[in-house]
Amino acid sequence: MAATWRAVRDTELYMSGIVGSEPVARDEAIAVLWQQQRSQLVRLAVGLTGDRDAAEEIVQEAFAALLGRWRFLREVSAAQAYLQRVVVNQARARWRARRRTHVVATVLPGRREQTDGPDVDAQLDMLTALGRLPWSKRACVLLRYYADLSEAQTAAVLGISVGTVKSQTAKGLRQLAAVIDEQGVR
Amino acid sequence: MTMSPEDVARRLRAELDAVPVPERPWAAVRPALVRRRASRRVMEAAAAAAAVVLIAGLSVAAARVFGAIPAPGAMPRAHPPRYYMQQSYPGTSGPPKPVVVRATATGRITATVSCPQPGTQIAPQGIAATSNRLFFIDCQKIHKVSAKYTVSRSWLYQARLTGSGQISGYSLVPGGVLGPHRLEGIGATLDGSEVAVTLGPSALYEFSSPSAPADVLVLNTKTGARAIWHGGPKVFSAGDFTFTGNGRELEFVGAARCPQAKRFGCKELRAVSPATAGGRLDSSRLLLRLSALARSHGEYIEPAIITTGGSTLTAAVQRNQNSVSSQSIWVIQYSAATGRLLRVLYRLPTGNGFSYQFLSSDPTGRHLLFNAGPPSRTVNGWIDHGQLIRLKPANGNYIAYETW
């Protein structure tokens, strides 16, 4: 029986674990992703769920999942796409679970919260308007115009076709505009 | 509609960007996330175990109802060795995973292979098996010296695999204190009387080169007698060993200096005889250049294994078909004398790109273990008459090496 050779990449993969009780590369990469991506992911989740606490929770779940998934991803771009997928999936699950009990409280016109910050009313109105969109349209609009994903990337995250992304995005924007207009928001 | 889609999109971005997100440092959040992940894995494992019991029960019930019995033609015709050793990458955190012995048929772990010396671990692909269940392992102690990880000491141990897949008795091979060297290759005679090991530089991330060649140590495992073949500027490393001619000759795949492959050299099938004489790798006999096996510009020969007797050469060959999106990896047997293609043992389409982990064999060379596949999705199994029979785990991504 003879042994085969290994290239540098394989040695590094193997030895990084042998000499690393220092998973430096993974933790450093995820720490950078956390710093760079977390806020946007939380806001994306806020747009998807209308709930800031849930959004924080969802993003933390996504990074917890990334900790275990990192070794299969190996690249930052793949990690970013993974995080977006997890956030969207988690948000969808929560939205469906909460919809029946919370829809009345979040989308009725005129509901307000007491919070600090500039133009909070406009923010809440936008979130309320988003909440009026069916899930698919809302997700397409947010991924395309907030997360700045391409049609193909959006399709990959949502698991739908590019054609569906195009139509759902266009219809979602029109419907959002109509809701905003209805609420008298400018 | 009074707002255009562009206005809506612009407004959407502005309002969402204004949503305050309190700062939370990663260092503060990470411990909680790790705990959350650990508790989820416990729950997933419990759920998976329950699912397996349920599915097994349903399968048995279905078999009873429908009388399902596997057709004789569906069973593998080969009889591979009962156990294989599996070395995994350690993943991204935690201690290195131990080398385990698994039953070929079921994947059940029957034993763990460990280095007897505390604080040491088995070198990558540092396992050589023989035909009588004796096996050898290269154990390394690694230290960090001036920000560089180096092998400070290494040893060659032997042990035996029992009929039930247990390990009996580790012992240091006579003459098996190898010193501060990184292992670049290991092989043994069928009866385990001799072992060849390639001793590279001590630094983990440095590899042999024409200016810093490796040495090949041929060790008599009974007497401890040593013979050293020194690497040189022309042939600076060696691996994939096969002892032929009743152990008198040592064939290997040598790394030869060439302009096309400056870092790892061009691969050449070479031989030294008698194996126990010692000398210079530069003076080894050239049998075949592996580049001659490539039939076209789009082929790449992965490091090869050599069957016993030295008459055939089996290699994994990466081929591009008509386009880069239709690549495949072939396992092909060639004549070691002429390079003539003898037979295709297995073909694995990989699509756009490929990932190759290893090709290894049992001591007889009859049974091949193979781990390759599309990028980031390798399959792990053994080749049986043109089919790949899956081993456990089926996902081969982080399996560093396997051997029978």
mmCIF file of all heavy atoms in Angstrom, chain A residues 1-6 12 18 22-23 27 34 38 43 61 71 123 145-146 181 185-186, chain B residues 2 11 13 16-19 22 24 30 40 92 121 125 149 239-241 357 361 398:
data_model
loop_
_atom_site.group_PDB
_atom_site.id
_atom_site.type_symbol
_atom_site.label_atom_id
_atom_site.label_comp_id
_atom_site.label_asym_id
_atom_site.label_seq_id
_atom_site.Cartn_x
_atom_site.Cartn_y
_atom_site.Cartn_z
ATOM 1 N N MET A 1 0.862 -1.188 0.000
ATOM 2 C CA MET A 1 0.000 0.000 0.000
ATOM 3 C C MET A 1 0.885 1.221 0.000
ATOM 4 O O MET A 1 1.890 1.285 0.663
ATOM 5 C CB MET A 1 -0.843 -0.019 1.271
ATOM 6 C CG MET A 1 -1.979 0.968 1.281
ATOM 7 S SD MET A 1 -1.471 2.631 1.708
ATOM 8 C CE MET A 1 -0.904 2.394 3.372
ATOM 9 N N ALA A 2 0.541 2.172 -0.812
ATOM 10 C CA ALA A 2 1.357 3.367 -0.897
ATOM 11 C C ALA A 2 0.530 4.587 -0.543
ATOM 12 O O ALA A 2 -0.676 4.606 -0.694
ATOM 13 C CB ALA A 2 1.913 3.517 -2.316
ATOM 14 N N ALA A 3 1.187 5.599 -0.097
ATOM 15 C CA ALA A 3 0.500 6.834 0.283
ATOM 16 C C ALA A 3 0.541 7.822 -0.870
ATOM 17 O O ALA A 3 1.361 7.737 -1.757
ATOM 18 C CB ALA A 3 1.183 7.448 1.503
ATOM 19 N N THR A 4 -0.378 8.746 -0.871
ATOM 20 C CA THR A 4 -0.396 9.774 -1.908
ATOM 21 C C THR A 4 0.076 11.099 -1.324
ATOM 22 O O THR A 4 0.087 11.288 -0.119
ATOM 23 C CB THR A 4 -1.804 9.967 -2.475
ATOM 24 O OG1 THR A 4 -2.691 10.237 -1.399
ATOM 25 C CG2 THR A 4 -2.254 8.723 -3.200
ATOM 26 N N TRP A 5 0.442 11.991 -2.185
ATOM 27 C CA TRP A 5 0.922 13.304 -1.745
ATOM 28 C C TRP A 5 -0.229 14.247 -1.518
ATOM 29 O O TRP A 5 -1.310 14.073 -2.035
ATOM 30 C CB TRP A 5 1.831 13.865 -2.824
ATOM 31 C CG TRP A 5 3.128 13.160 -2.866
ATOM 32 C CD1 TRP A 5 3.586 12.212 -2.009
ATOM 33 C CD2 TRP A 5 4.153 13.334 -3.830
ATOM 34 N NE1 TRP A 5 4.830 11.807 -2.390
ATOM 35 C CE2 TRP A 5 5.216 12.478 -3.494
ATOM 36 C CE3 TRP A 5 4.295 14.157 -4.957
ATOM 37 C CZ2 TRP A 5 6.390 12.406 -4.233
ATOM 38 C CZ3 TRP A 5 5.453 14.075 -5.686
ATOM 39 C CH2 TRP A 5 6.497 13.206 -5.316
ATOM 40 N N ARG A 6 0.020 15.280 -0.803
ATOM 41 C CA ARG A 6 -0.986 16.300 -0.583
ATOM 42 C C ARG A 6 -0.411 17.650 -0.963
ATOM 43 O O ARG A 6 0.774 17.883 -0.900
ATOM 44 C CB ARG A 6 -1.421 16.345 0.880
ATOM 45 C CG ARG A 6 -1.881 15.029 1.410
ATOM 46 C CD ARG A 6 -3.045 14.497 0.630
ATOM 47 N NE ARG A 6 -4.203 15.340 0.792
ATOM 48 C CZ ARG A 6 -5.405 15.040 0.298
ATOM 49 N NH1 ARG A 6 -5.571 13.963 -0.381
ATOM 50 N NH2 ARG A 6 -6.421 15.850 0.479
ATOM 51 N N GLU A 12 -2.498 22.727 5.061
ATOM 52 C CA GLU A 12 -2.932 23.842 5.889
ATOM 53 C C GLU A 12 -4.248 23.515 6.566
ATOM 54 O O GLU A 12 -4.440 23.797 7.742
ATOM 55 C CB GLU A 12 -3.092 25.093 5.019
ATOM 56 C CG GLU A 12 -1.761 25.729 4.660
ATOM 57 C CD GLU A 12 -1.932 26.910 3.733
ATOM 58 O OE1 GLU A 12 -3.014 27.052 3.146
ATOM 59 O OE2 GLU A 12 -0.976 27.673 3.591
ATOM 60 N N ILE A 18 -4.668 20.741 13.844
ATOM 61 C CA ILE A 18 -3.760 20.063 14.768
ATOM 62 C C ILE A 18 -3.091 21.083 15.672
ATOM 63 O O ILE A 18 -3.040 20.929 16.878
ATOM 64 C CB ILE A 18 -2.696 19.280 13.991
ATOM 65 C CG1 ILE A 18 -3.326 18.039 13.371
ATOM 66 C CG2 ILE A 18 -1.551 18.887 14.885
ATOM 67 C CD1 ILE A 18 -2.345 17.216 12.590
ATOM 68 N N GLU A 22 -6.598 26.807 17.922
ATOM 69 C CA GLU A 22 -6.757 28.201 17.539
ATOM 70 C C GLU A 22 -7.507 28.240 16.220
ATOM 71 O O GLU A 22 -6.891 28.285 15.180
ATOM 72 C CB GLU A 22 -5.402 28.834 17.216
ATOM 73 C CG GLU A 22 -4.430 28.911 18.341
ATOM 74 C CD GLU A 22 -3.079 29.387 17.805
ATOM 75 O OE1 GLU A 22 -3.040 30.114 16.811
ATOM 76 O OE2 GLU A 22 -2.081 28.992 18.377
ATOM 77 N N PRO A 23 -8.825 28.186 16.231
ATOM 78 C CA PRO A 23 -9.540 28.330 14.963
ATOM 79 C C PRO A 23 -9.539 29.787 14.546
ATOM 80 O O PRO A 23 -10.571 30.407 14.380
ATOM 81 C CB PRO A 23 -10.939 27.839 15.309
ATOM 82 C CG PRO A 23 -11.088 28.073 16.756
ATOM 83 C CD PRO A 23 -9.705 27.943 17.361
ATOM 84 N N ASP A 27 -12.829 32.264 13.106
ATOM 85 C CA ASP A 27 -13.357 33.266 14.020
ATOM 86 C C ASP A 27 -13.077 34.675 13.546
ATOM 87 O O ASP A 27 -13.929 35.559 13.664
ATOM 88 C CB ASP A 27 -12.780 33.054 15.428
ATOM 89 C CG ASP A 27 -13.707 32.185 16.263
ATOM 90 O OD1 ASP A 27 -14.622 31.580 15.659
ATOM 91 O OD2 ASP A 27 -13.534 32.109 17.478
ATOM 92 N N TRP A 34 -19.516 39.731 10.979
ATOM 93 C CA TRP A 34 -20.434 40.256 11.996
ATOM 94 C C TRP A 34 -20.383 41.773 12.009
ATOM 95 O O TRP A 34 -21.404 42.445 12.024
ATOM 96 C CB TRP A 34 -20.048 39.680 13.350
ATOM 97 C CG TRP A 34 -20.810 40.212 14.528
ATOM 98 C CD1 TRP A 34 -20.455 41.258 15.337
ATOM 99 C CD2 TRP A 34 -22.052 39.728 15.047
ATOM 100 N NE1 TRP A 34 -21.393 41.455 16.331
ATOM 101 C CE2 TRP A 34 -22.383 40.520 16.177
ATOM 102 C CE3 TRP A 34 -22.923 38.704 14.691
ATOM 103 C CZ2 TRP A 34 -23.535 40.311 16.929
ATOM 104 C CZ3 TRP A 34 -24.069 38.497 15.443
ATOM 105 C CH2 TRP A 34 -24.373 39.303 16.539
ATOM 106 N N ARG A 38 -23.812 42.651 9.992
ATOM 107 C CA ARG A 38 -24.879 42.445 10.968
ATOM 108 C C ARG A 38 -25.966 43.497 10.875
ATOM 109 O O ARG A 38 -27.166 43.192 10.862
ATOM 110 C CB ARG A 38 -24.301 42.401 12.384
ATOM 111 C CG ARG A 38 -25.395 42.295 13.431
ATOM 112 C CD ARG A 38 -24.848 42.291 14.841
ATOM 113 N NE ARG A 38 -25.904 42.706 15.745
ATOM 114 C CZ ARG A 38 -25.990 43.900 16.303
ATOM 115 N NH1 ARG A 38 -25.054 44.813 16.057
ATOM 116 N NH2 ARG A 38 -26.988 44.205 17.107
ATOM 117 N N ARG A 43 -31.524 44.882 9.670
ATOM 118 C CA ARG A 43 -32.519 45.742 9.011
ATOM 119 C C ARG A 43 -33.301 44.978 7.959
ATOM 120 O O ARG A 43 -34.492 45.198 7.772
ATOM 121 C CB ARG A 43 -31.827 46.967 8.400
ATOM 122 C CG ARG A 43 -31.333 47.923 9.470
ATOM 123 C CD ARG A 43 -30.439 49.018 8.932
ATOM 124 N NE ARG A 43 -30.014 49.879 10.026
ATOM 125 C CZ ARG A 43 -28.769 50.315 10.195
ATOM 126 N NH1 ARG A 43 -27.826 49.993 9.327
ATOM 127 N NH2 ARG A 43 -28.471 51.099 11.220
ATOM 128 N N GLU A 61 -29.223 33.893 15.226
ATOM 129 C CA GLU A 61 -29.391 32.489 14.807
ATOM 130 C C GLU A 61 -28.597 32.203 13.539
ATOM 131 O O GLU A 61 -27.990 31.136 13.388
ATOM 132 C CB GLU A 61 -30.875 32.205 14.521
ATOM 133 C CG GLU A 61 -31.753 32.046 15.740
ATOM 134 C CD GLU A 61 -31.596 30.681 16.369
ATOM 135 O OE1 GLU A 61 -31.088 29.763 15.702
ATOM 136 O OE2 GLU A 61 -31.957 30.551 17.548
ATOM 137 N N ARG A 71 -16.937 25.573 7.708
ATOM 138 C CA ARG A 71 -15.958 24.696 7.068
ATOM 139 C C ARG A 71 -16.407 24.236 5.698
ATOM 140 O O ARG A 71 -15.631 23.816 4.874
ATOM 141 C CB ARG A 71 -15.667 23.487 7.937
ATOM 142 C CG ARG A 71 -16.876 22.629 8.197
ATOM 143 C CD ARG A 71 -16.561 21.530 9.164
ATOM 144 N NE ARG A 71 -17.727 20.747 9.467
ATOM 145 C CZ ARG A 71 -17.724 19.678 10.231
ATOM 146 N NH1 ARG A 71 -16.614 19.278 10.783
ATOM 147 N NH2 ARG A 71 -18.812 19.013 10.453
ATOM 148 N N GLN A 123 -40.543 55.654 9.371
ATOM 149 C CA GLN A 123 -39.993 54.289 9.417
ATOM 150 C C GLN A 123 -41.105 53.289 9.671
ATOM 151 O O GLN A 123 -41.201 52.256 9.002
ATOM 152 C CB GLN A 123 -39.003 54.154 10.581
ATOM 153 C CG GLN A 123 -37.580 54.506 10.264
ATOM 154 C CD GLN A 123 -36.718 54.377 11.503
ATOM 155 O OE1 GLN A 123 -36.959 53.517 12.359
ATOM 156 N NE2 GLN A 123 -35.739 55.230 11.607
ATOM 157 N N TYR A 145 -33.844 45.519 -3.540
ATOM 158 C CA TYR A 145 -33.640 46.960 -3.387
ATOM 159 C C TYR A 145 -33.070 47.382 -2.046
ATOM 160 O O TYR A 145 -32.648 48.515 -1.892
ATOM 161 C CB TYR A 145 -34.962 47.701 -3.665
ATOM 162 C CG TYR A 145 -35.312 47.605 -5.120
ATOM 163 C CD1 TYR A 145 -36.319 46.763 -5.567
ATOM 164 C CD2 TYR A 145 -34.580 48.331 -6.062
ATOM 165 C CE1 TYR A 145 -36.609 46.652 -6.909
ATOM 166 C CE2 TYR A 145 -34.860 48.221 -7.412
ATOM 167 C CZ TYR A 145 -35.869 47.384 -7.830
ATOM 168 O OH TYR A 145 -36.144 47.274 -9.157
ATOM 169 N N TYR A 146 -33.087 46.514 -1.091
ATOM 170 C CA TYR A 146 -32.378 46.855 0.139
ATOM 171 C C TYR A 146 -31.041 46.119 0.238
ATOM 172 O O TYR A 146 -30.007 46.706 0.508
ATOM 173 C CB TYR A 146 -33.221 46.594 1.399
ATOM 174 C CG TYR A 146 -32.453 47.047 2.612
ATOM 175 C CD1 TYR A 146 -32.168 48.410 2.791
ATOM 176 C CD2 TYR A 146 -31.948 46.147 3.522
ATOM 177 C CE1 TYR A 146 -31.397 48.838 3.860
ATOM 178 C CE2 TYR A 146 -31.186 46.572 4.599
ATOM 179 C CZ TYR A 146 -30.912 47.922 4.762
ATOM 180 O OH TYR A 146 -30.144 48.349 5.812
ATOM 181 N N ASP A 181 -49.052 55.332 -0.636
ATOM 182 C CA ASP A 181 -49.901 56.407 -1.100
ATOM 183 C C ASP A 181 -51.204 56.435 -0.314
ATOM 184 O O ASP A 181 -51.710 57.482 0.073
ATOM 185 C CB ASP A 181 -50.172 56.207 -2.588
ATOM 186 C CG ASP A 181 -50.812 57.418 -3.202
ATOM 187 O OD1 ASP A 181 -50.325 58.531 -2.936
ATOM 188 O OD2 ASP A 181 -51.806 57.262 -3.919
ATOM 189 N N VAL A 185 -48.304 58.794 3.096
ATOM 190 C CA VAL A 185 -46.926 59.018 3.507
ATOM 191 C C VAL A 185 -46.153 59.632 2.365
ATOM 192 O O VAL A 185 -46.269 59.208 1.232
ATOM 193 C CB VAL A 185 -46.250 57.682 3.892
ATOM 194 C CG1 VAL A 185 -44.782 57.888 4.220
ATOM 195 C CG2 VAL A 185 -46.978 57.070 5.059
ATOM 196 N N ARG A 186 -45.319 60.612 2.581
ATOM 197 C CA ARG A 186 -44.459 61.232 1.548
ATOM 198 C C ARG A 186 -42.998 61.305 1.984
ATOM 199 O O ARG A 186 -42.740 61.445 3.158
ATOM 200 C CB ARG A 186 -44.941 62.657 1.271
ATOM 201 C CG ARG A 186 -46.284 62.685 0.544
ATOM 202 C CD ARG A 186 -46.151 62.153 -0.885
ATOM 203 N NE ARG A 186 -47.447 62.202 -1.556
ATOM 204 C CZ ARG A 186 -48.306 61.202 -1.531
ATOM 205 N NH1 ARG A 186 -48.025 60.105 -0.866
ATOM 206 N NH2 ARG A 186 -49.469 61.308 -2.132
ATOM 207 N N THR B 2 -48.728 57.486 -7.376
ATOM 208 C CA THR B 2 -48.021 58.762 -7.390
ATOM 209 C C THR B 2 -46.524 58.621 -7.181
ATOM 210 O O THR B 2 -45.766 59.531 -7.499
ATOM 211 C CB THR B 2 -48.577 59.687 -6.305
ATOM 212 O OG1 THR B 2 -48.510 58.984 -5.057
ATOM 213 C CG2 THR B 2 -50.028 60.046 -6.584
ATOM 214 N N ARG B 11 -36.926 55.279 -1.080
ATOM 215 C CA ARG B 11 -37.537 55.501 0.230
ATOM 216 C C ARG B 11 -37.346 54.296 1.139
ATOM 217 O O ARG B 11 -37.065 54.406 2.321
ATOM 218 C CB ARG B 11 -39.022 55.791 0.017
ATOM 219 C CG ARG B 11 -39.792 56.054 1.282
ATOM 220 C CD ARG B 11 -39.320 57.322 1.965
ATOM 221 N NE ARG B 11 -40.072 57.556 3.166
ATOM 222 C CZ ARG B 11 -41.258 58.162 3.193
ATOM 223 N NH1 ARG B 11 -41.819 58.604 2.082
ATOM 224 N NH2 ARG B 11 -41.872 58.351 4.339
ATOM 225 N N ARG B 13 -34.933 52.108 1.070
ATOM 226 C CA ARG B 13 -33.550 52.055 1.548
ATOM 227 C C ARG B 13 -33.330 53.075 2.657
ATOM 228 O O ARG B 13 -32.713 52.775 3.678
ATOM 229 C CB ARG B 13 -32.582 52.318 0.391
ATOM 230 C CG ARG B 13 -32.292 51.107 -0.462
ATOM 231 C CD ARG B 13 -31.089 51.364 -1.363
ATOM 232 N NE ARG B 13 -31.391 52.318 -2.410
ATOM 233 C CZ ARG B 13 -31.895 51.973 -3.585
ATOM 234 N NH1 ARG B 13 -32.197 50.719 -3.861
ATOM 235 N NH2 ARG B 13 -32.142 52.896 -4.506
ATOM 236 N N LEU B 16 -35.163 52.007 5.978
ATOM 237 C CA LEU B 16 -34.547 50.843 6.641
ATOM 238 C C LEU B 16 -33.152 51.171 7.145
ATOM 239 O O LEU B 16 -32.758 50.714 8.224
ATOM 240 C CB LEU B 16 -34.505 49.648 5.684
ATOM 241 C CG LEU B 16 -35.806 48.859 5.570
ATOM 242 C CD1 LEU B 16 -35.648 47.678 4.618
ATOM 243 C CD2 LEU B 16 -36.272 48.355 6.925
ATOM 244 N N ASP B 17 -32.409 51.950 6.397
ATOM 245 C CA ASP B 17 -31.077 52.334 6.873
ATOM 246 C C ASP B 17 -31.145 53.149 8.145
ATOM 247 O O ASP B 17 -30.187 53.205 8.914
ATOM 248 C CB ASP B 17 -30.325 53.123 5.786
ATOM 249 C CG ASP B 17 -29.682 52.201 4.770
ATOM 250 O OD1 ASP B 17 -29.509 51.009 5.082
ATOM 251 O OD2 ASP B 17 -29.361 52.675 3.662
ATOM 252 N N ALA B 18 -32.276 53.793 8.367
ATOM 253 C CA ALA B 18 -32.425 54.627 9.565
ATOM 254 C C ALA B 18 -32.858 53.819 10.781
ATOM 255 O O ALA B 18 -32.904 54.359 11.899
ATOM 256 C CB ALA B 18 -33.440 55.736 9.290
ATOM 257 N N VAL B 19 -33.187 52.552 10.600
ATOM 258 C CA VAL B 19 -33.570 51.717 11.744
ATOM 259 C C VAL B 19 -32.337 51.541 12.623
ATOM 260 O O VAL B 19 -31.305 51.064 12.144
ATOM 261 C CB VAL B 19 -34.090 50.341 11.265
ATOM 262 C CG1 VAL B 19 -34.274 49.405 12.453
ATOM 263 C CG2 VAL B 19 -35.388 50.510 10.506
ATOM 264 N N PRO B 22 -28.430 48.537 17.696
ATOM 265 C CA PRO B 22 -27.428 48.734 18.735
ATOM 266 C C PRO B 22 -26.184 47.900 18.447
ATOM 267 O O PRO B 22 -26.275 46.787 17.928
ATOM 268 C CB PRO B 22 -28.106 48.241 20.016
ATOM 269 C CG PRO B 22 -29.533 48.040 19.673
ATOM 270 C CD PRO B 22 -29.658 47.923 18.201
ATOM 271 N N ARG B 24 -23.216 45.469 19.034
ATOM 272 C CA ARG B 24 -22.922 44.320 19.903
ATOM 273 C C ARG B 24 -21.606 43.709 19.407
ATOM 274 O O ARG B 24 -21.563 43.143 18.317
ATOM 275 C CB ARG B 24 -24.030 43.269 19.803
ATOM 276 C CG ARG B 24 -25.350 43.736 20.324
ATOM 277 C CD ARG B 24 -26.299 42.566 20.528
ATOM 278 N NE ARG B 24 -27.690 42.983 20.378
ATOM 279 C CZ ARG B 24 -28.356 43.707 21.258
ATOM 280 N NH1 ARG B 24 -27.775 44.108 22.364
ATOM 281 N NH2 ARG B 24 -29.612 44.057 21.045
ATOM 282 N N ARG B 30 -20.406 35.884 20.826
ATOM 283 C CA ARG B 30 -19.970 34.569 20.374
ATOM 284 C C ARG B 30 -20.216 33.440 21.372
ATOM 285 O O ARG B 30 -20.720 32.381 20.998
ATOM 286 C CB ARG B 30 -18.493 34.617 19.994
ATOM 287 C CG ARG B 30 -17.986 33.324 19.351
ATOM 288 C CD ARG B 30 -16.474 33.359 19.147
ATOM 289 N NE ARG B 30 -15.998 32.121 18.574
ATOM 290 C CZ ARG B 30 -15.793 30.999 19.267
ATOM 291 N NH1 ARG B 30 -16.043 30.989 20.568
ATOM 292 N NH2 ARG B 30 -15.356 29.899 18.668
ATOM 293 N N ARG B 40 -28.475 22.917 19.996
ATOM 294 C CA ARG B 40 -29.250 22.540 18.827
ATOM 295 C C ARG B 40 -28.732 21.227 18.267
ATOM 296 O O ARG B 40 -29.495 20.389 17.811
ATOM 297 C CB ARG B 40 -29.200 23.624 17.758
ATOM 298 C CG ARG B 40 -30.154 23.305 16.600
ATOM 299 C CD ARG B 40 -30.022 24.223 15.420
ATOM 300 N NE ARG B 40 -30.180 25.607 15.800
ATOM 301 C CZ ARG B 40 -29.327 26.557 15.457
ATOM 302 N NH1 ARG B 40 -28.272 26.287 14.741
ATOM 303 N NH2 ARG B 40 -29.523 27.803 15.831
ATOM 304 N N THR B 92 -12.878 23.247 11.936
ATOM 305 C CA THR B 92 -12.381 24.601 12.144
ATOM 306 C C THR B 92 -12.160 24.908 13.613
ATOM 307 O O THR B 92 -11.693 25.972 13.954
ATOM 308 C CB THR B 92 -13.375 25.624 11.589
ATOM 309 O OG1 THR B 92 -14.653 25.363 12.165
ATOM 310 C CG2 THR B 92 -13.461 25.496 10.082
ATOM 311 N N GLN B 121 0.443 13.544 17.338
ATOM 312 C CA GLN B 121 -0.662 13.115 16.489
ATOM 313 C C GLN B 121 -0.133 12.470 15.218
ATOM 314 O O GLN B 121 1.005 12.708 14.826
ATOM 315 C CB GLN B 121 -1.608 14.272 16.119
ATOM 316 C CG GLN B 121 -0.918 15.521 15.695
ATOM 317 C CD GLN B 121 -0.869 16.531 16.825
ATOM 318 O OE1 GLN B 121 -1.589 16.432 17.815
ATOM 319 N NE2 GLN B 121 0.009 17.493 16.707
ATOM 320 N N GLN B 125 -1.896 11.457 6.276
ATOM 321 C CA GLN B 125 -1.613 10.269 5.467
ATOM 322 C C GLN B 125 -0.429 9.487 6.000
ATOM 323 O O GLN B 125 0.273 8.823 5.241
ATOM 324 C CB GLN B 125 -1.368 10.674 4.004
ATOM 325 C CG GLN B 125 -2.585 11.350 3.402
ATOM 326 C CD GLN B 125 -2.551 11.372 1.898
ATOM 327 O OE1 GLN B 125 -1.530 11.148 1.280
ATOM 328 N NE2 GLN B 125 -3.698 11.634 1.313
ATOM 329 N N TYR B 149 5.104 26.754 12.826
ATOM 330 C CA TYR B 149 4.833 25.440 13.412
ATOM 331 C C TYR B 149 5.784 24.426 12.788
ATOM 332 O O TYR B 149 5.897 24.345 11.566
ATOM 333 C CB TYR B 149 3.389 25.033 13.158
ATOM 334 C CG TYR B 149 2.412 25.860 13.957
ATOM 335 C CD1 TYR B 149 1.711 26.909 13.377
ATOM 336 C CD2 TYR B 149 2.208 25.600 15.313
ATOM 337 C CE1 TYR B 149 0.822 27.673 14.118
ATOM 338 C CE2 TYR B 149 1.328 26.364 16.061
ATOM 339 C CZ TYR B 149 0.637 27.396 15.463
ATOM 340 O OH TYR B 149 -0.233 28.153 16.194
ATOM 341 N N GLY B 239 7.301 9.539 -3.064
ATOM 342 C CA GLY B 239 6.124 9.065 -2.335
ATOM 343 C C GLY B 239 5.491 7.934 -3.115
ATOM 344 O O GLY B 239 6.032 7.460 -4.119
ATOM 345 N N ASP B 240 4.313 7.516 -2.672
ATOM 346 C CA ASP B 240 3.597 6.427 -3.347
ATOM 347 C C ASP B 240 4.510 5.226 -3.552
ATOM 348 O O ASP B 240 4.737 4.755 -4.668
ATOM 349 C CB ASP B 240 3.030 6.901 -4.695
ATOM 350 C CG ASP B 240 1.975 7.970 -4.503
ATOM 351 O OD1 ASP B 240 1.039 7.727 -3.742
ATOM 352 O OD2 ASP B 240 2.122 9.056 -5.090
ATOM 353 N N PHE B 241 5.016 4.714 -2.455
ATOM 354 C CA PHE B 241 6.012 3.639 -2.530
ATOM 355 C C PHE B 241 5.369 2.285 -2.805
ATOM 356 O O PHE B 241 4.273 1.982 -2.324
ATOM 357 C CB PHE B 241 6.772 3.553 -1.198
ATOM 358 C CG PHE B 241 7.572 4.776 -0.868
ATOM 359 C CD1 PHE B 241 7.181 5.602 0.167
ATOM 360 C CD2 PHE B 241 8.713 5.094 -1.588
ATOM 361 C CE1 PHE B 241 7.917 6.735 0.475
ATOM 362 C CE2 PHE B 241 9.461 6.211 -1.279
ATOM 363 C CZ PHE B 241 9.067 7.031 -0.244
ATOM 364 N N GLN B 357 -9.702 14.397 -3.428
ATOM 365 C CA GLN B 357 -9.108 14.240 -2.106
ATOM 366 C C GLN B 357 -8.024 13.165 -2.121
ATOM 367 O O GLN B 357 -6.895 13.426 -1.802
ATOM 368 C CB GLN B 357 -10.176 13.871 -1.073
ATOM 369 C CG GLN B 357 -11.312 14.885 -0.949
ATOM 370 C CD GLN B 357 -10.963 16.037 -0.036
ATOM 371 O OE1 GLN B 357 -10.093 16.838 -0.337
ATOM 372 N NE2 GLN B 357 -11.650 16.121 1.079
ATOM 373 N N SER B 361 -5.258 2.350 -1.936
ATOM 374 C CA SER B 361 -5.621 0.955 -2.157
ATOM 375 C C SER B 361 -5.305 0.135 -0.926
ATOM 376 O O SER B 361 -4.627 0.583 -0.004
ATOM 377 C CB SER B 361 -4.876 0.382 -3.358
ATOM 378 O OG SER B 361 -3.559 0.035 -2.984
ATOM 379 N N TYR B 398 -14.411 16.320 4.291
ATOM 380 C CA TYR B 398 -13.375 16.520 5.295
ATOM 381 C C TYR B 398 -12.724 15.230 5.739
ATOM 382 O O TYR B 398 -12.238 15.133 6.851
ATOM 383 C CB TYR B 398 -13.923 17.356 6.455
ATOM 384 C CG TYR B 398 -13.812 18.812 6.090
ATOM 385 C CD1 TYR B 398 -14.774 19.413 5.307
ATOM 386 C CD2 TYR B 398 -12.695 19.553 6.460
ATOM 387 C CE1 TYR B 398 -14.637 20.729 4.914
ATOM 388 C CE2 TYR B 398 -12.563 20.876 6.076
ATOM 389 C CZ TYR B 398 -13.541 21.446 5.311
ATOM 390 O OH TYR B 398 -13.406 22.755 4.932
#
